Amino acid sequence: MKHYGLYINGSWVTTKEKIDVLNKYTRKPFASTSVASGNHVNEAVEAAKQSYRQEWGPYDRYLIIKKAGELLLERKEQFAEILAKEVGKPYGECLGEVERSALTLEISSEEAKRIHGEGIPVESAPGSENCMSFTVRVPVGVVAAITPFNVPLNLVCHKVGPALAAGNSVILKPAEVTPIVALLLTEVFEDVGLPKGRLNLITGEGPVIGEALLANKDVNMFTFTGSPRVGEYIRQNAGLRKVALELGNNSATVVHHDTDIEKAANVIAGKSFANAGQVCISVQRIYVHEDVYEAFLGFLKDKTEKLKMGDPFDPETNIGPMIRLEEAERVEAWVKEAVEQGAQVEVGGTRDGVFYSPTILTNTHRDMKVCRQEVFGPVVSVETYKTEDEVIEVVNDSDYGLQAGLFTSDLRFAMKAARKIEVGGLIINDASAYRVDHMPYGGVKKSGTGKEGPRYAIEEMTEERIIVMNV
Ligand SMILES: NC(=O)C1=CN([C@@H]2O[C@H](COP(=O)(O)OP(=O)(O)OC[C@H]3O[C@@H](n4cnc5c(N)ncnc54)[C@H](O)[C@@H]3O)[C@@H](O)[C@H]2O)C=CC1
Ligand SMILES: O=C(O)[C@H](O)CS(=O)(=O)O
C-alpha cells in the first residue's frame, strides 16, 4: 500500500503518523497519506512566500500549466482509476472528470497571458492635465486552497490553475478522504518543472491545518470549496485577507407546462443522482407545473428505476457508494423524518450499507430537511405549482443560491426568471447541474462569495494596482 508524503518546497516529506485512504466500494484502505503538523504548514507557507518573490513571467507560467494539462491527459487512466477508488463514482464519470481537469488547466494557462488592467483618464481631473494612468493586476502572494471530496481533481485544478496562472504560490489542502489525485497532480507539476515552492501540498486533519493556515499572517488569501460550516469559520477568522468561498446548495429545477416533459425528466434523472447526488449543483428540489405533473413524475420514475447501483468499475453501474457510512445514514434519517412528516416515497428510500438508492419523494413541503437543507445525496422532492410567481417565490425561499434550472419554451417566462431567481447561475432548458469550466461559477447567499472559472478566479486572486505617471 503506497504511503504518500507532504510536498514542501519541492521535496516530499513523509510523516510516521498516517491517514488511511479507503477504496469507497470495498471499504478497504488502498493508500495512506502523511499528517501535517502546524510546523509543516508554516514551512510550506515560508517556501511559498520565498518562491513567490522569485521572478516568474506570464509566458513561463503559460508553458508550465499547459504542459501539466497535457501530462495529466497522458496519465488519464491512472487518474481515473484512483478517482473511482477514492470517490467511489463510476469509472466513466471519473474519465470525464480527468478530461475536464486537463481543460481547466489548459484554460488557466491561456488566461496567464491575458491578465490586464485598463487605462484610467486621470487627465480629465482639473490639475492632472499632465498625468497618464493605467491599472495592472498583481498576484495576491500566497494562496491557501482548501478543497472538498466530491470532485477532488477538477475542483483542485480550479484553484491551482488560476492561482499559478496569476503568479501566486499555493498551499493546497485536499480533503482527507480523497487526497490521492491531488498528490498525483502535484507529481505532474513536479514532472513538468514547476519552480519549487510554487505549489506545496499538505495533507492531514482539516481543523489542524485550517487553524495553522489562518494563524499564519503570510497567507494572503483563502480559496475554499466545501461546507458552509467550514466556509463561515474561515471567513470569520481570515481577518482582512481575501476569501473566496464555494459552498453548498439545495438546487431547484422548474419544469413548466410548455416544455418537452420526457426530455426534461431524462435530463433531470441524469443530473439528480450522478455521483450519488454529491454534487453541489445536483438537482434536489423539482417544481413541476400542475398540468404536466403526473406525466413528468411517470417519466422520472421510469428513468430512475432503471439506474443501477454497484461497483464503480462495472460498466453497467450508474451510481456508486456514498462517501461515508455516516453520510448514507444521515440521508436515510432525513428521508425517514420526511416520511413521518407526510412525504411519500415514489422510488428508492432504502439504504444498503454505504449505498443509498436513488430516491424520489412527493407530498413534501418546503420546511422538511430534504427541501430546506442541502441533502448532498441521491434524493429529490417533486412538488407542483400553479403560477410563475408562486414557483419563483418557492425557488427563492432558500438560504442558498448557487444555480437553478428552468425548462420552458416561453422566452418571456425565461427572461422573467432570469431577472427574479436569486442564484449565481440560471440554466434555461437544462437542469441546475450544468457547468463548463470557463464560465463564471459561484453563488449568492449561503452558497458563497466570489467566482471560479479561470478568468474569474484570476480576478479574485489578483489585486488591482493603479499606476499614475505625472509626465
Ligand atoms: N460550491 C461548490 O462549488 C461546491 C461546494 N461543495 C460543498 O462541499 C460540501 C461537501 O464537501 P466536504 O468535503 O464534506 O466539505 P467540508 O467542509 O467538510 O471539507 C472541505 C475541506 O475543508 C477541510 N476542512 C475541514 N475542517 C476545516 C477547518 N476547520 N479549517 C479549514 N479546513 C477545514 C476539509 O479537510 C476539506 O479539505 C457540501 O456542502 C457541498 O455543497 C462541494 C463541491 C463544490
Ligand atoms: O460543485 C460541484 O460539486 C462541482 O463544482 C460541480 S462540477 O464542477 O463537477 O460540475
Side-chain angles (χ1 to χ4, degrees):
M1 194 168 88
K2 184 154 180 189
H3 178 54
Y4 289 86
L6 315 170
Y7 189 67
I8 301 176
N9 204 22
S11 299
W12 293 95
V13 180
T14 48
T15 64
K16 280 205 188 110
E17 203 187 333
K18 294 177 179 177
I19 296 181
D20 281 345
V21 181
L22 297 188
N23 175 320
K24 303 303 181 295
Y25 177 67
T26 65
R27 314 301 300 160
K28 299 212 168 69
F30 73 95
S32 62
T33 58
S34 293
V35 178
S37 63
N39 285 342
H40 289 120
V41 172
N42 290 337
E43 279 169 34
V45 174
E46 183 58 26
K49 183 175 146 191
Q50 294 308 330
S51 150
Y52 164 68
R53 289 179 173 164
Q54 308 298 313
E55 202 55 44
W56 194 37
Y59 194 73
D60 289 337
R61 298 185 324 237
Y62 155 73
L63 285 178
I64 291 281
I65 302 166
K66 180 167 168 284
K67 275 192 208 156
E70 288 163 357
L71 189 55
L72 173 58
L73 262 194
E74 279 173 33
R75 298 181 183 172
K76 178 160 94 169
E77 284 80 15
Q78 179 201 9
F79 274 83
E81 191 183 321
I82 297 290
L83 272 174
K85 283 184 184 164
E86 69 177 352
V87 184
K89 59 188 173 187
Y91 181 76
E93 271 180 45
C94 296
L95 277 176
E97 183 178 345
V98 183
E99 283 161 8
R100 277 185 63 190
S101 306
L103 196 56
T104 302
L105 291 181
E106 184 187 318
I107 301 162
S108 301
S109 73
E110 289 162 355
E111 292 296 339
K113 297 188 287 185
R114 299 182 192 137
I115 301 169
H116 62 87
E118 59 178 346
I120 308 292
V122 289
E123 62 275 21
S124 62
S128 285
E129 289 79 3
N130 292 333
C131 293
M132 286 180 78
S133 176
F134 58 91
T135 62
V136 289
R137 298 209 72 94
V138 294
V140 291
V142 176
V143 174
I146 305 174
T147 52
F149 74 83
N150 62 331
V151 189
L153 183 61
N154 197 28
L155 295 181
V156 163
C157 290
H158 268 289
K159 298 194 182 304
V160 172
L164 294 177
N168 296 297
S169 295
V170 182
I171 316 291
L172 171 62
K173 154 68 184 85
E176 289 91 319
V177 286
T178 57
I180 307 298
V181 283
L183 285 150
L184 297 182
L185 183 73
T186 303
E187 287 176 4
V188 163
F189 273 106
E190 186 178 37
D191 291 348
V192 297
L194 182 73
K196 67 177 190 168
R198 281 282 166 182
L199 173 61
N200 304 273
L201 185 146
I202 294 290
T203 49
E205 301 293 346
V208 174
I209 295 170
E211 196 184 333
L213 286 168
L214 286 161
N216 191 317
K217 296 300 172 214
D218 286 330
V219 176
N220 304 101
M221 177 180 175
F222 291 85
T223 172
F224 172 82
T225 300
S227 60
R229 180 185 63 81
V230 179
E232 279 179 36
Y233 165 79
I234 291 173
R235 160 78 66 211
Q236 281 158 8
N237 289 282
L240 296 178
R241 293 175 285 184
K242 277 194 154 194
V243 177
L245 300 172
E246 296 287 341
L247 309 176
N249 201 36
N250 56 352
S251 312
T253 292
V254 176
V255 181
H256 208 41
H257 56 72
D258 55 7
T259 197
D260 179 336
I261 302 299
E262 184 172 6
K263 193 170 150 208
N266 285 344
V267 171
I268 290 174
K271 293 189 170 189
S272 301
F273 307 117
N275 200 359
Q278 301 166 122
V279 178
C280 61
I281 43 179
S282 193
V283 181
Q284 177 176 327
R285 299 179 290 149
I286 305 171
Y287 300 107
V288 186
H289 191 273
E290 60 179 5
D291 290 356
V292 292
Y293 174 78
E294 290 301 335
F296 173 85
L297 186 60
F299 287 128
L300 186 69
K301 282 166 67 171
D302 198 40
K303 186 84 183 156
T304 305
E305 276 159 356
K306 294 194 177 94
L307 296 174
K308 195 171 169 292
M309 293 191 294
D311 181 348
F313 288 98
D314 179 345
E316 299 288 302
T317 296
N318 304 110
I319 300 174
M322 292 193 68
I323 196 73
R324 295 187 189 88
L325 182 61
E326 305 86 80
E327 289 301 301
E329 288 172 343
R330 175 186 58 77
V331 171
E332 180 182 39
W334 286 17
V335 170
K336 187 165 174 275
E337 185 182 289
V339 169
E340 283 161 7
Q341 292 169 348
Q344 184 168 325
V345 176
E346 300 285 346
V347 176
T350 56
R351 182 177 68 80
D352 178 6
V354 87
F355 281 88
Y356 197 82
S357 57
T359 297
I360 301 174
L361 299 176
T362 53
N363 283 343
T364 48
H365 67 72
R366 61 176 81 184
D367 287 321
M368 290 177 178
K369 274 191 195 132
V370 290
C371 300
R372 177 68 65 196
Q373 299 193 26
E374 180 186 36
V375 175
F376 221 59
V379 177
V380 295
S381 58
V382 191
E383 297 182 18
T384 60
Y385 69 90
K386 284 188 174 58
T387 67
E388 293 171 3
D389 289 336
E390 179 193 341
V391 76
I392 290 172
E393 187 275 327
V394 70
V395 168
N396 286 343
D397 184 17
S398 167
D399 287 342
Y400 299 104
L402 185 50
Q403 289 196 168
L406 167 61
F407 287 87
T408 181
S409 55
D410 180 350
L411 195 53
R412 184 203 44 80
F413 180 31
M415 291 310 293
K416 178 176 174 180
R419 281 194 300 272
K420 297 209 161 176
I421 291 187
E422 298 158 357
V423 282
L426 177 66
I427 315 299
I428 313 277
N429 285 328
D430 206 325
S432 51
Y434 174 92
R435 183 180 188 186
V436 291
D437 292 287
H438 58 286
M439 72 185 223
Y441 181 76
V444 297
K445 303 197 256 183
K446 255 186 150 178
S447 292
T449 51
K451 296 281 180 199
E452 290 200 337
R455 180 181 146 197
Y456 310 94
I458 286 171
E459 263 180 41
E460 307 282 346
M461 294 172 175
T462 50
E463 301 280 7
E464 187 173 56
R465 181 177 292 163
I466 185 159
I467 311 297
V468 179
M469 295 191 294
N470 193 341
V471 287

